[in-house]
Amino acid sequence: IAVLPAAQSLDVETDILGVALSHEPGVTLLEREEIRRILGEQAQALSTAEDCLRLGAILRADGVIALRRVRVEQQELIVADLVAVGLGYRLDEFAYRYPAASVDKWVEDVRTRFARQLSKLRLQPKDVIPLSFLSMRAAAGTTDAKVLERSLNFLLPARLISEPRVIVLERQH
């Protein structure tokens, strides 16, 4: 796995997350210096999943975790994307307030969230069940129906991605 920062301002978080992930069974991290060298040669930003796939292929990584900062409304977030290079899919995304109140808690939350997805990095395309899930709509416009709709749109994709061979392609946040 390659852990890649979209900007140097995320180097500390990248290194700490890399150390935590190195303790996961079956996970081997690519060397930071090799990653930096290739990132420098490529001089590319990690703004899309395609960028992660291309750099992951150059690095010969099974997976890439790309860290980036985004601003949503008045809040700054650090977003971690887990991308399966060989499959060509983004497996998961995890957003957290930036800067995190506790970097250790952020690292543990990311590690825990992605740990259940790491086995998918070695799947062959023929073994994957990609599902497109945009959203469910309630037939009734009542308050209860809207609450149920929001709950199902959150819980169903979350449950589906926990399946070992299922990849949910689109997710609403």
Side-chain angles (χ1 to χ4, degrees), residues 107-124:
V107 166
E108 183 57 26
D109 289 350
V110 173
R111 188 195 64 74
T112 301
R113 170 80 174 250
F114 288 171
R116 63 181 180 220
Q117 301 291 325
L118 295 177
S119 64
K120 293 179 182 180
L121 296 177
R122 292 207 170 101
L123 288 175
Q124 298 299 313

Side-chain angles (χ1 to χ4, degrees), residues 15 27 56 75 172:
D15 290 340
V27 171
Q75 190 169 305
Q172 302 293 321

Side-chain angles (χ1 to χ4, degrees), residues 103-165:
V103 174
D104 291 336
K105 174 146 177 38
W106 170 78
V107 166
E108 183 57 26
D109 289 350
V110 173
R111 188 195 64 74
T112 301
R113 170 80 174 250
F114 288 171
R116 63 181 180 220
Q117 301 291 325
L118 295 177
S119 64
K120 293 179 182 180
L121 296 177
R122 292 207 170 101
L123 288 175
Q124 298 299 313
K126 66 179 177 52
D127 298 326
V128 172
I129 304 168
L131 294 177
S132 181
F133 181 87
L134 296 175
S135 65
M136 298 178 79
R137 300 273 183 235
T142 65
T143 303
D144 287 344
K146 293 294 180 188
V147 168
L148 178 61
E149 176 183 297
R150 280 192 302 274
S151 296
L152 286 173
N153 283 323
F154 175 77
L155 294 172
L156 185 57
R159 172 62 183 89
L160 289 170
I161 66 170
S162 69
E163 290 296 317
R165 295 177 45 214

Side-chain angles (χ1 to χ4, degrees), residues 1 18 20-30 115 118-119 121-122:
I1 293 179
L21 289 170
S22 69
H23 299 293
E24 285 294 314
V27 171
T28 303
L29 291 178
L30 296 172
L118 295 177
S119 64
L121 296 177
R122 292 207 170 101

Side-chain angles (χ1 to χ4, degrees), residues 40-84:
E41 287 175 2
Q42 296 297 310
Q44 295 287 324
L46 292 173
S47 56
T48 67
E50 289 79 23
D51 295 335
C52 293
L53 290 170
R54 187 179 37 72
L55 286 170
I58 291 168
L59 292 164
R60 294 189 184 116
D62 291 330
V64 169
I65 296 176
L67 301 180
R68 58 191 164 89
R69 286 174 32 190
V70 297
R71 191 167 215 34
V72 177
E73 296 173 9
Q74 299 299 320
Q75 190 169 305
E76 187 147 5
L77 303 172
I78 182 171
V79 178
D81 290 303
L82 176 61
V83 178

